[in-house]
Amino acid sequence: MFEQLGDLIAFGLLGLEPASRSGAAVQFFVMDVAKIFVLLVLVIYVMGLLRAMLSPERVRAFVRGRPDWQARGMAVTLGAVTPFCSCSSVPLFIGFVEAGIPLGVTFSFLIASPMINEVAAVILVGVLGWKLAALYVLAGLLVAWFGGLAMQAFRPERWVEDYVWKIRMGETAMAEPDTSLRGRHRYALGEVREIVGRIWRWVLLGIGVGALFHGFVPAGWVTEHLGGDDWFSVPAAVLLGIPLYANATGVIPVAEAMLTKGVAIGTTLALMMSVAALSLPELLILRKVIRWPALALFAAVLAVAFTLVGWGFNLIA
């Protein structure tokens, strides 16, 4: 249905040639805009119905007082199913510290939350298939788990800003949620408006970049330079993702275009993870609560992890 809509607008209404670069780019753009935004609204609404009782305060309460391995597992899982983006990282970080949760566990949550979410997973299934979606989620969970362990080994407490330790957020009085169907419906609609309103520009930008890549970058050049045979293609993809700012949903159309052109799967996954969890704006936001040594260590741990994931998947492929 979405492919037919792209054909209708690009080749029927606009009269572009299917074999032309502009025709291929416009068809890709229209098809992915329709597909991703329909999936985006549906998935956010359904998950909003189920998640009406979840909040950052409840996430903190779930993790507090657990053994390290259990707290880390819950932090990674909750990070994967909660919609908190980089703009939420500072209050969440402060809340976790105030609750006495180990910093390694906190970093596991901060890695998982922007990189993995159920919206991106469902859209990945719809756009790229369940196998790639499963690989991305599995790799993200592993990076979040071991990335937090690596951070904890360096005792990052010494690099937390002094004011963070002095904050006492206390127990937030949580209003009783409206669990009626009407209340959940209102909450789900609010989730759709808030999340789509926050990310639609980045999704359109990602689709636009993917469309340009799909239509104008020759497949032969991509296969030669990014096909996976060169060791440096994966670290280059990780570095490329740092200055970009998008969430996991926004980078999916770029990944789709890369894969259709022959970019190796590990290189594509490395770029997706870097854009979602290692972007420069994300790091600058975290700088408000941790000092430069911790920030540099955080970036280095993630860059190494993403590179190893990319090399591993390229080797398997």
Side-chain angles (χ1 to χ4, degrees):
M1 178 179 66
F2 300 114
E3 186 175 356
Q4 291 172 351
L5 178 63
D7 293 344
L8 175 64
I9 293 178
F11 310 138
L13 295 180
L14 298 180
L16 300 172
E17 291 293 329
S20 68
R21 293 180 176 180
S22 56
V26 171
Q27 193 271 349
F28 181 96
F29 183 82
V30 173
M31 177 183 68
D32 264 31
V33 165
K35 181 193 303 181
I36 288 178
F37 276 97
V38 167
L39 287 171
L40 197 61
V41 170
L42 288 176
V43 174
I44 292 173
Y45 178 80
V46 172
M47 294 308 300
L49 291 175
L50 301 175
R51 201 166 49 207
M53 297 175 63
L54 194 61
S55 67
E57 292 79 16
R58 292 183 185 274
V59 170
R60 183 180 60 168
F62 277 132
V63 180
R64 187 205 304 265
R66 308 269 181 178
D68 186 83
W69 67 270
Q70 195 176 42
R72 191 178 310 280
M74 295 187 72
V76 171
T77 303
L78 289 168
V81 300
T82 48
F84 309 128
C85 65
S86 58
C87 58
S88 307
S89 58
V90 170
L92 282 167
F93 187 96
I94 294 173
F96 276 39
V97 169
E98 189 273 338
I101 296 168
L103 279 186
V105 174
T106 302
F107 278 111
S108 288
F109 181 89
L110 291 180
I111 295 169
S113 189
M115 190 166 58
I116 316 165
N117 61 69
E118 72 285 348
V119 177
V122 172
I123 293 177
L124 265 175
V125 172
V127 174
L128 302 178
W130 69 268
K131 290 183 180 179
L132 184 63
L135 288 175
Y136 178 80
V137 172
L138 176 61
L141 292 174
L142 290 174
V143 168
W145 183 282
F146 289 105
L149 279 176
M151 289 296 298
Q152 190 166 310
F154 285 90
R155 297 184 295 110
E157 294 83 1
R158 52 190 164 147
W159 295 315
V160 175
E161 291 290 354
D162 292 336
Y163 80 89
V164 175
W165 300 111
K166 299 174 184 177
I167 293 176
R168 288 292 177 266
M169 298 177 66
E171 293 299 321
T172 304
M174 291 176 286
E176 285 296 319
D178 184 356
T179 56
S180 67
L181 182 59
R182 178 174 294 183
R184 288 176 177 268
H185 170 70
R186 283 198 299 267
Y187 178 85
L189 285 181
E191 287 274 280
V192 171
R193 285 192 294 267
E194 196 271 332
I195 296 176
V196 174
R198 190 177 67 226
I199 70 173
W200 70 269
R201 296 177 183 85
W202 306 112
V203 175
L204 283 180
L205 179 62
I207 296 173
V209 171
L212 291 174
F213 193 94
H214 178 80
F216 291 92
V217 179
W221 184 91
V222 173
T223 303
E224 180 182 353
H225 293 87
L226 299 174
D229 294 332
D230 296 322
W231 67 269
F232 57 81
S233 62
V234 174
V238 173
L239 291 175
L240 179 63
I242 293 176
L244 304 178
Y245 181 65
N247 59 7
T249 307
V251 78
I252 288 173
V254 181
E256 178 186 13
M258 291 171 67
L259 289 171
T260 58
K261 284 291 186 176
V263 178
I265 186 172
T267 307
T268 304
L269 287 174
L271 177 68
M272 290 181 67
M273 291 181 171
S274 178
V275 171
L278 196 53
S279 66
L280 189 59
E282 164 91 0
L283 296 178
L284 293 177
I285 290 172
L286 281 176
R287 173 61 188 87
K288 296 177 182 178
V289 290
I290 57 177
R291 299 184 184 126
W292 287 112
L295 201 63
L297 177 64
F298 182 70
V301 166
L302 289 186
V304 169
F306 297 158
T307 301
L308 292 177
V309 167
W311 281 340
F313 279 115
N314 282 349
L315 184 64
I316 293 170

